[in-house]
């Protein structure tokens, strides 16, 4: 696929002048075109922002993997939770003629033009974490998690838990705190969750609302929900940080949760803090989403540097952890 990519790119590298609009975008992060030291492979890394602890772990992983010692000059760009800023940053990196661009996209849509621009300029793009809807033949590969399967795994865990513990009978009321709308992590998890929930005629989704993957929104959105509903059986938050915020809201409103409480709690990511909460019994389960994607990404770039072909898709390995096995695994956690 990459051999194809390179040969087509070579043909398309003709008459490439930038429009005024794009030219304006280029000035966002960098004025003038810097000269990069050729002894290093220059890699631009466009991150989503700093919405969660998962994200910090992911950023840190890239910063500590793409080092000068390994031959890389990494240009880290914080997207500040703005898709527009992410796209502008990519135009800027294209203008600077970096060797590779890695993007962790906030949302799936809106990438077509800038990816085509990178393709035309022969700059390989590696998409990590979340996906984009752009034609995959225009970028090198995608590396990340199967978010849909994560949603399915959450409900499978819940089904087993209810069967084993016989804890809830009759109709079950579920609340879902969704991640950032339009992001693959939200789209995939919500699809997996709702498809499996729909198979249970007596399970009812009371409400499903976005809290943007942040702890602050997790708390405020949950506070609003608690003002409207007093019959919640199950709370599913599409990341651990939103669950931590929701726990504060439930504490504030005197709602008990966890193994010895009224509300069953399930979230995603498997942060170290989630393990602590599973051990104390306030969080029943967390579905793993691995932020440590930099090694795989570096491997891909190293292969491309040597002229090897790479796969179009790489999935990371992920498990499911609960209050039952958290104590056994907490010491092995890396984030
Ligand atoms: O895209 C992965 C998601 O983004 C993680 O679940 C969340 O914590 C992060 O912000």
């Amino acid at each position: 696929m990459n051999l194809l990519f390179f040969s087509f790119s070579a043909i398309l590298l003709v008459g490439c002048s930038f429009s005024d609009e794009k030219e304006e975008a280029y000035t966002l992060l960098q004025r003038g075109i810097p000269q990069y030291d050729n002894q290093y492979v220059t890699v631009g890394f466009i991150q989503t922002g700093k919405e969660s602890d998962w994200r910090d772990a992911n950023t840190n992983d890239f910063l500590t993997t793409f080092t000068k010692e390994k031959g890389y000059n990494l240009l880290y760009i914080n997207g500040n939770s703005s898709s527009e800023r992410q796209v502008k940053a990519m135009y800027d990196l294209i203008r600077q003629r970096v060797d590779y661009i890695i993007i962790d996209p906030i949302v799936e849509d809106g990438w077509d033009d800038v990816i085509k621009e990178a393709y035309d300029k022969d700059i390989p793009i590696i998409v990590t974490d979340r996906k984009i809807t752009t034609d995959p033949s225009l970028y090198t590969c995608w590396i990340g998690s199967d978010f849909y399967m994560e949603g399915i795994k959450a409900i499978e865990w819940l089904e087993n838990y209810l069967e084993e513990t016989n804890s809830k009978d009759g109709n079950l009321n579920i609340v879902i705190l969704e991640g950032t709308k339009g992001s693959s992590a939200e789209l995939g998890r919500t699809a997996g969750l709702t498809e499996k929930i729909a198979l249970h005629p007596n399970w009812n989704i009371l409400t499903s609302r976005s809290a943007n993957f942040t702890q602050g929104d997790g708390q405020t959105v949950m506070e609003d929900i608690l003002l409207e509903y007093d019959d919640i059986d199950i709370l599913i938050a599409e990341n651990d940080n939103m669950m931590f915020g929701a726990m504060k809201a439930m504490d504030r409103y005197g709602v008990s949760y966890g193994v010895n409480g009224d509300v069953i709690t399930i979230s995603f990511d498997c942060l170290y803090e989630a393990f602590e909460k599973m051990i104390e019994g306030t969080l029943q389960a967390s579905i793993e989403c691995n932020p440590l994607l930099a090694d795989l990404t570096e491997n891909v770039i190293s292969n491309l540097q040597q002229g090897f072909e790479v796969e179009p898709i790489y999935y990371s390995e992920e498990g499911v952890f609960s209050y039952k096995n958290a104590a056994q695994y907490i010491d092995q956690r890396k984030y």
Side-chain angles (χ1 to χ4, degrees), residues 51-52 54-55 129-130 147 185 189 213 238-239 269 289:
E51 73 278 1
S52 65
W54 186 101
R55 189 61 56 194
D129 172 25
R130 302 173 188 173
F147 299 114
R189 286 172 191 163
F213 286 126
E238 289 180 359
N239 81 351
D269 281 0
C289 178

Side-chain angles (χ1 to χ4, degrees), residues 48 50-56 104-106 128-130 145 147 150 180 183-186 189 212-214 238-242 268-269 271 287 289-291:
T48 61
K50 292 178 67 61
E51 73 278 1
S52 65
D53 293 328
W54 186 101
R55 189 61 56 194
D56 290 347
D104 274 25
I106 297 169
T128 68
D129 172 25
R130 302 173 188 173
S145 308
F147 299 114
E150 289 176 358
T180 305
S183 67
S184 311
E186 179 271 321
R189 286 172 191 163
N212 295 313
F213 286 126
T214 72
E238 289 180 359
N239 81 351
D240 290 333
N241 282 103
M242 290 191 293
F268 295 81
D269 281 0
L271 300 175
I287 317 305
C289 178
N290 187 358

Side-chain angles (χ1 to χ4, degrees), residues 92-313:
D92 193 60
L93 291 170
I94 295 168
R95 186 182 61 114
Q96 292 179 27
R97 303 273 176 177
V98 297
D99 297 311
Y100 296 89
I101 299 175
I102 303 166
I103 50 164
D104 274 25
I106 297 169
V107 289
E108 294 192 347
D109 291 337
W111 291 96
D112 294 359
D113 292 348
V114 72
I115 295 282
K116 179 69 170 50
E117 186 83 37
Y119 179 85
D120 289 349
K121 297 288 177 298
D122 204 12
I123 298 176
I125 303 293
I126 295 148
V127 182
T128 68
D129 172 25
R130 302 173 188 173
K131 292 181 176 170
I132 56 175
T133 48
T134 302
D135 173 0
S137 70
L138 296 177
Y139 59 92
T140 306
C141 65
W142 169 79
I143 300 168
S145 308
D146 188 336
F147 299 114
Y148 171 77
M149 272 317 294
E150 289 176 358
I152 298 283
K153 285 191 260 181
I155 301 302
E156 282 174 353
W157 184 88
L158 178 61
E159 289 166 341
N160 288 332
Y161 175 74
L162 292 173
E163 202 178 311
E164 276 170 23
T165 57
N166 240 331
S167 51
K168 300 251 184 200
D169 283 334
N171 295 334
L172 288 187
N173 288 331
I174 303 172
V175 164
I176 300 175
L177 291 182
E178 300 165 4
T180 305
K181 283 285 186 192
S183 67
S184 311
E186 179 271 321
L187 292 166
R189 286 172 191 163
T190 304
L193 292 170
T194 51
E195 275 179 33
K196 283 286 278 179
I197 289 171
L199 300 177
H200 297 267
N202 61 333
W203 290 16
N204 168 39
I205 299 178
L206 283 178
T207 185
S208 186
R209 292 183 204 173
S210 174
N212 295 313
F213 286 126
T214 72
Q215 195 153 325
D217 284 5
Q219 180 169 352
T220 52
V221 172
M222 191 63 190
E223 281 173 358
D224 290 345
I225 291 171
L226 289 171
L227 288 174
E228 290 173 50
Y229 302 98
D230 61 1
D231 50 355
I232 303 167
D233 296 299
I234 297 154
L235 172 63
I236 302 172
E238 289 180 359
N239 81 351
D240 290 333
N241 282 103
M242 290 191 293
M243 178 60 84
F244 303 157
M247 285 174 173
K248 286 194 177 144
M250 291 191 282
D251 290 339
R252 192 168 166 209
Y253 284 79
V255 173
S256 68
Y257 51 87
V259 180
N260 299 313
D262 290 332
V263 179
I264 295 172
T265 48
I266 301 169
S267 51
F268 295 81
D269 281 0
C270 281
L271 300 175
Y272 189 87
E273 194 177 341
F275 271 74
E276 291 177 326
K277 293 205 185 305
M278 288 190 279
I279 291 169
E280 74 185 19
T282 49
L283 178 65
Q284 261 112 325
S286 187
I287 317 305
E288 189 173 33
C289 178
N290 187 358
L292 308 179
L293 303 173
D295 257 352
L296 252 174
T297 310
E298 199 270 326
N299 236 310
V300 164
I301 290 181
S302 163
N303 276 323
L304 292 174
Q305 281 293 101
Q306 294 170 71
F308 298 139
E309 284 198 46
V310 299
E311 300 294 327
I313 293 176

